[in-house]
Amino acid sequence: MSQLVSETFEDLAPADIVSRILDGSNGVPCITCSFQAEDMIVVDLVRKQVPDIAVIFLETGYHFRETYAYRDRMAQLWKLNLINASSKQTVADQESQFGILNQTDPTRCCQLRKVEPLFEALQGYDLWFTGLRREQSPTRRNLQILEQHRLPTGKTLEKVSPLAHWTWEQVWQYTLENKIEYLPLYDLGYRSIGCQPCTAIPADGADPRSGRWGGVKLECGIHTSSDRVE
Ligand code: SF4
């Protein structure tokens, strides 16, 4: 599996990438899903081959009410094997110990509520599907469809981003053509949707992720904290 170089996949459609990866691996697959449009496409593609794939949602406790409602609706509709990965502390405990970290130290808040729960959740898997795309952010420009990542424990996973080479237009074309219900927050103008305190509607024409963390940072760390194996 890891002898396949990522460039092999560049000319393939996401559905074919998913098939080739799954057919070529005996590893246990999972997908991280924030229930944004890209993630839903990857879930849709993978669930057709692995109906019970683990769908890992980082349950920070700070999501929009609409996100929770949509997550629950889609989990039921698609009969997802949903895994809510939570922080060791509740929001109330964290706020009482440290205050509102998303205002004072969002990097630490993301570390506690996203990065650590994710790494713990990923421990049991070998193939990690994501909905990341290069176009989403300057920090994702060099994303490869297939990468190897090492967790802090030393465990290595194959990280697969079948939409790496897709545009925003292709995402919506697939979503609409396949009649995938989408998170209603898009209709309000949101483009990149995470925790409510750290998500705003970006200005017209601005980088889609500029609405996250008030433009102070572009990544929460879940896709930048594991070591990419070159
Ligand atoms: Fe905390 Fe904001 Fe990060 Fe969510 S996105 S974990 S609220 S800092």
Side-chain angles (χ1 to χ4, degrees):
M1 173 59 190
S2 44
Q3 73 271 18
L4 291 172
V5 289
S6 185
E7 286 69 27
T8 313
F9 301 102
E10 287 294 324
D11 296 329
L12 296 181
D16 296 324
I17 295 170
V18 167
S19 294
R20 277 184 64 171
I21 299 273
L22 287 172
D23 291 347
S25 170
N26 295 323
V28 183
C30 70
I31 174 168
T32 45
C33 180
S34 63
F35 288 84
Q36 294 184 78
E38 290 93 337
D39 291 345
M40 299 313 287
I41 293 174
V42 181
V43 170
D44 190 44
L45 294 172
V46 177
R47 78 189 177 104
K48 287 171 179 154
Q49 283 199 63
V50 188
D52 63 345
I53 184 161
V55 177
I56 300 172
F57 174 71
L58 297 178
E59 186 3 357
T60 63
Y62 280 117
H63 290 285
F64 287 87
R65 142 175 84 73
E66 290 88 342
T67 304
Y68 287 119
Y70 174 70
R71 173 200 64 179
D72 293 343
R73 211 159 52 243
M74 294 309 290
Q76 190 174 32
L77 188 67
W78 284 359
K79 299 183 173 47
L80 299 180
N81 175 16
L82 178 67
I83 294 172
N84 290 301
S86 305
S87 178
K88 289 186 176 64
Q89 277 191 312
T90 64
V91 166
D93 287 348
Q94 179 177 302
E95 290 187 352
S96 104
Q97 185 172 356
F98 301 114
I100 314 287
L101 283 178
N102 58 58
Q103 293 174 9
T104 58
D105 190 350
T107 298
R108 187 163 184 213
C109 187
C110 284
Q111 179 69 25
L112 293 169
R113 309 209 72 75
K114 288 186 165 185
V115 177
E116 290 176 7
L118 171 72
F119 286 171
E120 198 177 325
L122 287 177
Q123 240 351 93
Y125 302 96
D126 307 297
L127 275 177
W128 171 17
F129 285 92
T130 85
L132 295 178
R133 292 183 302 114
R134 291 175 192 139
E135 194 192 62
Q136 286 168 327
S137 162
T139 51
R140 298 180 181 179
R141 199 171 290 142
N142 296 322
L143 174 73
Q144 300 300 305
I145 291 170
L146 176 66
E147 297 179 348
Q148 273 198 312
H149 278 252
R150 189 179 300 116
L151 302 179
T153 56
K155 175 169 177 100
T156 301
L157 295 96
E158 307 280 355
K159 183 174 180 178
V160 189
S161 303
L163 308 186
H165 52 333
W166 262 24
T167 62
W168 180 242
E169 287 70 28
Q170 287 174 296
V171 168
W172 283 95
Q173 190 179 352
Y174 183 98
T175 300
L176 299 176
E177 278 178 1
N178 290 277
K179 297 185 170 49
I180 297 179
E181 182 184 340
Y182 58 85
L183 184 52
L185 292 167
Y186 287 112
D187 286 337
L188 300 179
Y190 290 96
R191 287 283 304 271
S192 175
I193 302 162
C195 296
Q196 184 165 17
C198 304
T199 301
I201 297 172
D204 272 352
D207 183 310
R209 283 182 73 81
S210 64
R212 304 289 290 275
W213 300 283
V216 171
K217 62 178 193 149
L218 289 173
E219 297 286 346
C220 61
I222 63 170
H223 294 295
T224 51
S225 300
S226 56
D227 287 334
R228 181 170 148 187
V229 182
E230 301 293 345

